[in-house]
Amino acid sequence: GQQLNQSPQSMFIQEGEDVSMNCTSSSIFNTWLWYKQEPGEGPVLLIALYKAGELTSNGRLTAQFGITRKDSFLNISASIPSDVGIYFCAGHNAGGTSYGKLTFGQGTILTVHP
Amino acid sequence: DVKVTQSSRYLVKRTGEKVFLECVQDMDHENMFWYRQDPGLGLRLIYFSYDVKMKEKGDIPEGYSVSREKKERFSLILESASTNQTSMYLCASRWTGTDTQYFGPGTRLTVL
C-alpha cells in the first residue's frame, strides 16, 4: 500500500519553543489530515487540508498542503505542556471505492518540558 | 458529541485463545474501521466496513476477521491469538462522504 514518512519520530522541547513536523508520500493525496493522540486516548482531528498549497490555522497550529500534493507540514507555535502527545499525519484519496480509508504516518512523539 | 466506545481498555489473553474486541458508535455512521497501532509504525488498517454486513480487508488483515451485524457495532475477532498480535487496537467511524474519522480510546491487548 501507500507509504507515508513522518519526521521527526520524536521531539523533546522546552515550553515556549516552536515545533515543526512533516510528512512525505510516494504518491499523491487529495486530502491531508493531522491528528493528535493524547496518552490513553484515541487520535483526534486537528486540521484538515483539501487543496494543494493551502495553509490552514487552528489556534497555535498551522498546517500546509504541499504544492506537489505529496507532502504536508504542521507547525506548533509557542508550545505549552498540554501539547504533549503523538501527532499523526494522514492522507486520503476521495472517491471510487476508497470508503474513507486513510493512510497514516508513523507519528511524531512530542514531549514539552516546562 | 460523537462517541465511539470500545469494550475494554486493557485485555490479557493466552496464545491460541479466540479474542473479541467490540466497538460501538452512537452517531449512525455508515463506515467503521479497525486499526492496530505499534510504536514506529503508526496506525495500520486491519479491516473496514462501509455498511451493515459489508466488510473489506485493509492493509494487514491476516489473522483477523470482523463482524458487522448492526450499524452501530463493529467487532474485531482474533480466531487464534498469537504473541505478535500484542498491540493497541483502535476503532474509528465516520459518515460517508466526510474525511473525519472519530476514534475510540483503544484496547491494549497483550497475548502471552
Side-chain angles (χ1 to χ4, degrees):
Chain A
Q2 293 170 316
Q3 298 284 325
L4 285 187
N5 287 316
Q6 185 173 348
S7 65
Q9 286 191 358
S10 61
M11 303 183 75
F12 298 84
I13 61 170
Q14 291 292 130
E15 184 176 0
E17 288 184 17
D18 296 343
V19 172
S20 290
M21 58 190 80
N22 69 83
C23 257
T24 58
S25 169
S26 56
S27 52
I28 289 170
F29 286 108
N30 296 328
T31 301
W32 281 94
L33 306 166
W34 285 91
Y35 280 83
K36 178 188 177 187
Q37 182 180 29
E38 297 191 359
E41 301 296 329
V44 173
L45 182 68
L46 296 173
I47 291 180
L49 302 156
Y50 299 102
K51 195 173 163 184
E54 179 182 353
L55 190 71
T56 297
S57 293
N58 177 6
R60 293 178 295 105
L61 277 60
T62 301
Q64 185 161 22
F65 192 140
I67 290 290
T68 65
R69 294 167 64 194
K70 290 185 177 182
D71 55 8
S72 181
F73 307 86
L74 176 70
N75 296 314
I76 305 173
S77 62
S79 59
I80 58 178
S82 62
D83 289 333
V84 162
I86 306 176
Y87 292 79
F88 291 101
C89 62
H92 176 221
N93 281 324
T97 56
S98 71
Y99 297 113
K101 285 194 297 180
L102 299 178
T103 301
F104 282 86
Q106 301 96 327
T108 295
I109 302 171
L110 179 64
T111 304
V112 180
H113 294 288
Chain B
D1 267 357
V2 175
K3 197 158 177 78
V4 181
T5 57
Q6 295 183 229
S7 50
S8 307
R9 296 298 293 264
Y10 299 93
L11 210 51
V12 179
K13 296 291 182 181
R14 297 212 173 270
T15 301
E17 279 193 77
K18 190 168 186 176
V19 181
F20 292 87
L21 302 182
E22 304 283 338
C23 175
V24 177
Q25 48 93 5
D26 66 357
M27 284 303 292
D28 206 36
H29 288 171
E30 295 91 356
N31 309 149
M32 297 187 74
F33 306 82
W34 274 106
Y35 295 89
R36 64 177 282 176
Q37 179 180 7
D38 300 289
L41 297 178
L43 276 65
R44 293 179 292 165
L45 183 64
I46 304 171
Y47 265 97
F48 67 100
S49 168
Y50 50 91
D51 206 343
V52 177
K53 296 191 187 295
M54 308 304 286
K55 60 186 179 186
E56 290 278 340
K57 293 180 180 178
D59 298 318
I60 52 165
E62 296 78 20
Y64 304 95
S65 62
V66 290
S67 171
R68 189 148 179 225
E69 296 297 316
K70 293 186 177 181
K71 193 173 187 179
E72 67 271 18
R73 189 181 297 269
F74 191 33
S75 303
L76 180 69
I77 303 154
L78 287 66
E79 294 288 341
S80 178
S82 63
T83 54
N84 63 13
Q85 292 178 309
T86 292
S87 187
M88 169 71 85
Y89 290 88
L90 289 163
C91 173
S93 69
R94 67 154 206 156
W95 283 292
T96 300
T98 66
D99 297 303
T100 306
Q101 290 187 19
Y102 295 88
F103 283 84
T107 295
R108 186 165 292 282
L109 173 67
T110 301
V111 182
L112 302 175

